[in-house]
């Protein structure tokens, strides 16, 4: 019924079909279907159901088949089964069918997905459609209650939440950047300068690697500065960097530290290198930092 509705209203032929445990899908030979087009096909299908049309199932003779306007003729030899929905749709089919269309109950399209040059229409019928509606209705009203609004105002409420989230995320990033800037300044001011440059090393546990990388980049924005930092964890990371005015290649420095973990994954450019990805404890991170510093000073 739904396939024929799409044929009549959108000239969209069914080219694929799958019967699942809860829903059914048909693939149509059109890549794009508007919501209005889908709604119209759904309305027509449910109209045919409401009319409770008789469904005839039989094996016509070859002469009878020639007079039938079959929607799709199967590539088989000999007799085959035909289903006639009171003239609305006449097609070959070997599946189970009702005696009257009213037995089907509600036909409800759930979603339409584009798949290359075709569209996949997923739908449910009868009790399954009722259960789907019941579940989604319950979820809709629960969401409305959580948002303290009417269900019809949910889209506007979600848009306000999205805007608030954007603002909060922006404020959070600004606050994090300020904290990292202050942290970097304190570390830089107290750094060891005995080698003719400021050397900063630090091991972290349970800290976001992106934050540590930002901290390192903030440190080496100062002149004559080298920063080597590591983050312990299941996927530990080591970062070695220096300011642009220093001549050191930080890639070998990084490699020497990673060797303590038995890791070769890592690299970068002479001014900033990063690697790791293996599990390492806080003590193992400190050992890697010490090895990197020895290579730098050696």
């Amino acid at each position: 019924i739904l396939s024929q509705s799409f044929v009549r209203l959108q000239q969209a032929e069914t080219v694929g079909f799958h019967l699942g445990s809860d829903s059914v899908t048909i693939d149509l030979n059109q890549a794009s279907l508007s919501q209005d087009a889908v709604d119209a096909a759904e309305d027509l299908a449910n109209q045919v159901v409401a009319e409770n049309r008789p469904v005839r199932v039989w094996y016509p003779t070859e002469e009878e088949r020639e007079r039938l306007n079959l929607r799709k003729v199967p590539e088989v030899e000999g007799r085959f089964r035909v289903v006639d929905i009171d003239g609305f749709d006449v097609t070959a089919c070997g599946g189970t069918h009702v005696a009257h269309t009213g037995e089907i109950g509600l036909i409800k399209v759930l979603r339409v997905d584009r798949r290359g040059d075709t569209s996949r229409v997923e739908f449910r019928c009868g009790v399954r459609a009722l259960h789907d509606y019941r579940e989604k209705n319950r979820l809709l009203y629960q969401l409305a209650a959580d948002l303290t609004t009417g269900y019809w105002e949910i889209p506007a409420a979600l848009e306000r939440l999205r805007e608030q989230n954007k603002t909060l995320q922006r404020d959070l990033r600004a606050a994090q950047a300020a904290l990292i800037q202050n942290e970097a300044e304190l570390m830089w001011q107290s750094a060891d300068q005995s080698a003719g440059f400021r050397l900063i090393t630090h091991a972290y546990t349970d800290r976001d690697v992106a934050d540590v990388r930002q901290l390192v980049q903030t440190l080496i924005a100062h002149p004559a500065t080298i920063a080597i930092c590591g983050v312990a964890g299941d996927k530990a990371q080591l970062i070695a960097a220096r300011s642009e005015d220093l001549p050191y290649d930080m890639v070998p420095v990084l490699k020497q530290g990673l060797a303590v973990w038995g890791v070769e994954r890592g690299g970068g450019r002479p001014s900033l290198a990063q690697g790791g990805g293996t599990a390492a404890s806080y003590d193992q991170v400190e050992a890697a930092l010490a090895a990197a510093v020895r290579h730098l000073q050696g």
Side-chain angles (χ1 to χ4, degrees), residues 213-250:
R213 184 182 176 95
Q214 185 178 352
L215 175 65
V216 167
Q217 290 174 318
T218 303
L219 286 167
I220 64 172
H222 293 88
T225 301
I226 290 179
I228 307 173
C229 296
V231 182
D234 292 337
K235 294 184 178 180
Q237 290 287 310
L238 196 65
I239 304 172
R242 50 95 172 154
S243 54
E244 293 294 339
D245 59 333
L246 293 177
Y248 302 98
D249 186 350
M250 303 309 293

Side-chain angles (χ1 to χ4, degrees), residues 117-191:
D117 296 331
T118 65
S119 293
R120 175 160 293 179
V121 180
E122 181 182 3
F123 63 99
R124 291 186 179 183
C125 303
V127 174
R128 291 179 177 85
L130 172 64
H131 290 168
D132 181 75
Y133 174 78
R134 182 178 296 157
E135 180 183 349
K136 290 175 179 174
N137 191 64
R138 185 182 296 119
L139 178 62
L140 181 66
Y141 275 95
Q142 182 59 57
L143 183 58
D146 291 342
L147 295 172
T148 61
T149 186
Y151 74 85
W152 58 91
E153 295 176 316
I154 287 177
L158 289 177
E159 182 59 31
R160 288 194 298 272
L161 287 176
R162 277 192 288 267
E163 290 303 317
Q164 292 172 6
N165 184 61
K166 288 179 183 178
T167 300
L168 291 172
Q169 290 289 339
R170 184 169 57 249
D171 293 346
L172 178 61
R173 286 194 295 270
Q176 288 174 330
L179 287 172
I180 288 175
Q181 183 69 42
N182 290 336
E183 181 182 2
E185 191 62 30
L186 290 174
M187 293 174 73
W188 189 80
Q189 291 291 347
S190 60

